[in-house]
Amino acid sequence: MTVDGRHGEVVDVRWHAHAVSREERERAAGHKGCVLWFTGLSGCGKSTLANAVDHRLHARGVRSFVLDGDNVRLGLNAAPGLLRERHGEEFASRFGLGFAAQDREENIRRIGAVAELFVQAGLVALTAFISPYRRDREAVRRMLAPGDFVEVFVKAPLEVCEGRDPKGLYKRARAGEIKGFTGIDDPYEEPLAPELVVDSAARPPEELAAEVLAWLERAGKIPRSERP
Amino acid sequence: MTVDGRHGEVVDVRWHAHAVSREERERAAGHKGCVLWFTGLSGCGKSTLANAVDHRLHARGVRSFVLDGDNVRLGLNAAPGLLRERHGEEFASRFGLGFAAQDREENIRRIGAVAELFVQAGLVALTAFISPYRRDREAVRRMLAPGDFVEVFVKAPLEVCEGRDPKGLYKRARAGEIKGFTGIDDPYEEPLAPELVVDSAARPPEELAAEVLAWLERAGKIPRSERP
């Protein structure tokens, strides 16, 4: 379509309207995009492992980014209390996210949708959330193209996670101060067919990170390391 | 903290827990991250321009990504009707987004939050939404660090935009089929102090894209082009 501009010129509004494709972005990056979805109990080491993998990918020139509670719970998925001042009470209670079942479902849905945008941008997105319900994780898997969702089960016995208790949350849950805490009075549903299971009780994060990188290489997501 | 692993090993869960910093990601990318927030009436050419800028950035090796209705309205900011089947009626009506004032506010808030994540990942995020209310745009500006929010006003008279009417929306709004349409029966609040104003009625997108790139160079967000 052409239209007359303000000063009489003919302006073609169709010019280069098509988007840069995902394939073009991946070619420029030199690797594929995908989501590494780390799931497991609180204290199992999801965040530590995601960041360790991110470090290694970054060092190898892979475009990557970690989505976790630290950068999502203050902005995108903010609690009602964080939205109240700027947006008012009604808005905050409608869109703010707490820890009720529906809120958790929406929390995971938004994270999945954002992870998909990162994949479209050609990045390896790493997410580190307990994401205890199989249904919610499967919804994200279905939202993405086949092969884009890589479920990594960070496995550790409850007693190990509770023994670590890095944020003191298990202690508070046992004391009844936190209700519906995963592993205590709310279930963690183990993945039935994750792409990868890593044992964080038996091996240090550095070794687990190497396992994840090796998986990405085997799957053709990133180029093989030049080191032996 | 060290804990005994399942097989008796000592596992240091603190290993490399720190994240790759934004500065490290920017250094690897060879440019700064920022949000180019294109705002203007429906049909003013925001999306065309954002994609044209994205093409040029991509061609110069800059990591960039366009957020627009096409990739946001099906996932992150889906309408209730798109959420109903998978998540149920109650969930869909609480979290799905329509076009009422509060829904528009949340639409822009989520887009701003996601754009910020892309900036943290070291990318130039380009957003192409009417975003008619000054208050909502200013909320995104305040959410971001100083200098990260680059407001680009894509200016064109209503009669030019309505004359283009690429999606037939003005026609439907004039016929009363769409209520609260920006420019017809809902206001567009022009930016008071945008970083950049481009005149899409007078000049073709290719020239406007060059203006935006020149701005990014002058602001030190991307390296200067080697071409004269």
Side-chain angles (χ1 to χ4, degrees):
Chain A
M1 185 180 70
T2 54
V3 296
D4 291 335
R6 190 188 286 175
H7 306 295
E9 308 85 335
V10 169
V11 174
D12 186 353
V13 294
R14 286 171 316 179
W15 187 87
H16 257 188
H18 74 281
V20 178
S21 72
R22 171 175 168 183
E23 288 65 33
E24 289 171 295
R25 296 188 200 279
E26 289 180 334
R27 209 172 304 128
H31 60 85
K32 307 284 188 192
C34 70
V35 179
L36 288 172
W37 190 278
F38 296 91
T39 174
L41 292 167
S42 177
C44 73
K46 294 178 297 299
S47 234
T48 304
L49 177 55
N51 280 295
V53 171
D54 187 39
H55 263 278
R56 285 171 171 249
L57 291 174
H58 178 75
R60 284 169 62 165
V62 172
R63 303 176 184 189
S64 57
F65 191 62
V66 176
L67 297 166
D68 61 14
D70 288 347
N71 58 23
V72 159
R73 278 284 182 182
L74 288 176
L76 180 66
N77 292 354
L82 287 169
L83 298 177
R84 205 164 283 139
E85 193 185 345
R86 191 164 288 165
H87 299 273
E89 180 57 44
E90 193 196 331
F91 182 98
S93 57
R94 177 169 168 205
F95 294 113
L97 296 183
F99 290 91
Q102 230 180 40
D103 299 60
R104 286 176 169 216
E105 186 178 347
E106 172 68 357
N107 183 45
I108 296 302
R109 191 194 69 81
R110 286 189 202 163
I111 290 160
V114 171
E116 192 194 4
L117 293 171
F118 274 95
V119 173
Q120 292 299 328
L123 277 78
V124 175
L126 305 96
T127 67
F129 299 88
I130 299 174
S131 49
Y133 306 135
R134 214 170 271 146
R135 196 184 71 159
D136 295 348
R137 296 192 304 266
E138 286 309 303
V140 177
R141 183 187 288 274
R142 282 194 305 269
M143 195 192 295
L144 289 155
D148 283 353
F149 183 80
V150 180
E151 194 172 19
V152 184
F153 178 26
V154 185
K155 198 171 180 172
L158 178 63
E159 17 340 335
V160 171
C161 299
E162 195 170 352
R164 293 173 180 167
D165 204 8
K167 298 172 192 164
L169 296 173
Y170 284 99
K171 205 176 165 189
R172 291 179 57 202
R174 291 285 185 195
E177 290 169 35
I178 304 175
K179 301 287 180 196
F181 194 76
T182 301
I184 305 298
D185 55 348
D186 209 65
Y188 177 78
E189 300 174 352
E190 296 198 357
L192 296 179
E195 275 69 13
L196 191 58
V197 183
V198 296
D199 184 343
S200 78
R203 302 172 60 199
E206 189 170 2
E207 285 182 25
L208 305 183
E211 272 187 63
V212 176
L213 272 278
W215 188 95
L216 289 169
E217 288 183 358
R218 283 198 308 274
K221 303 291 187 192
I222 62 171
R224 289 188 184 274
S225 167
E226 278 147 31
R227 283 168 295 179
Chain B
M1 185 178 69
T2 56
V3 296
D4 290 334
R6 189 187 287 177
H7 305 297
E9 307 86 334
V10 169
V11 173
D12 186 353
V13 296
R14 287 171 314 180
W15 187 86
H16 256 189
H18 74 282
V20 178
S21 73
R22 171 174 169 184
E23 288 65 33
E24 290 171 294
R25 296 188 199 280
E26 289 180 335
R27 208 173 306 128
H31 60 84
K32 307 285 188 192
C34 70
V35 180
L36 289 172
W37 189 278
F38 296 91
T39 174
L41 292 167
S42 177
C44 73
K46 293 178 297 300
S47 233
T48 304
L49 176 55
N51 280 296
V53 171
D54 187 39
H55 264 278
R56 286 171 170 249
L57 291 175
H58 177 75
R60 283 169 63 166
V62 172
R63 303 176 185 190
S64 56
F65 191 63
V66 176
L67 296 167
D68 60 15
D70 288 346
N71 57 22
V72 158
R73 278 285 182 181
L74 288 176
L76 180 67
N77 292 352
L82 288 169
L83 298 178
R84 205 163 284 140
E85 193 186 344
R86 192 163 289 166
H87 299 272
E89 180 57 45
E90 194 198 331
F91 183 97
S93 58
R94 177 169 168 206
F95 294 114
L97 296 184
F99 290 91
Q102 233 180 37
D103 299 60
R104 288 176 167 217
E105 186 178 347
E106 173 67 357
N107 185 44
I108 297 302
R109 190 194 70 81
R110 286 188 204 164
I111 291 159
V114 171
E116 192 193 6
L117 292 172
F118 274 95
V119 173
Q120 292 299 328
L123 277 77
V124 174
L126 304 96
T127 68
F129 299 89
I130 300 173
S131 48
Y133 307 134
R134 214 169 272 146
R135 197 185 70 159
D136 295 348
R137 297 192 304 266
E138 287 308 305
V140 177
R141 183 186 288 275
R142 281 193 306 269
M143 195 191 296
L144 290 155
D148 284 352
F149 184 81
V150 180
E151 193 172 19
V152 184
F153 179 26
V154 185
K155 198 172 181 171
L158 178 63
E159 30 317 349
V160 171
C161 298
E162 194 170 352
R164 293 173 179 166
D165 204 9
K167 300 171 192 165
L169 296 173
Y170 284 100
K171 206 176 165 191
R172 291 179 56 201
R174 290 286 185 197
E177 289 168 35
I178 303 175
K179 300 288 179 196
F181 194 77
T182 301
I184 304 299
D185 55 349
D186 209 66
Y188 177 79
E189 300 173 353
E190 296 197 356
L192 297 178
E195 274 70 12
L196 192 58
V197 183
V198 296
D199 185 341
S200 78
R203 305 173 57 201
E206 190 170 2
E207 284 181 27
L208 304 184
E211 272 186 66
V212 175
L213 272 278
W215 189 95
L216 288 169
E217 289 184 357
R218 283 197 308 276
K221 304 288 187 195
I222 62 171
R224 288 186 184 275
S225 166
E226 278 147 31
R227 283 168 295 181

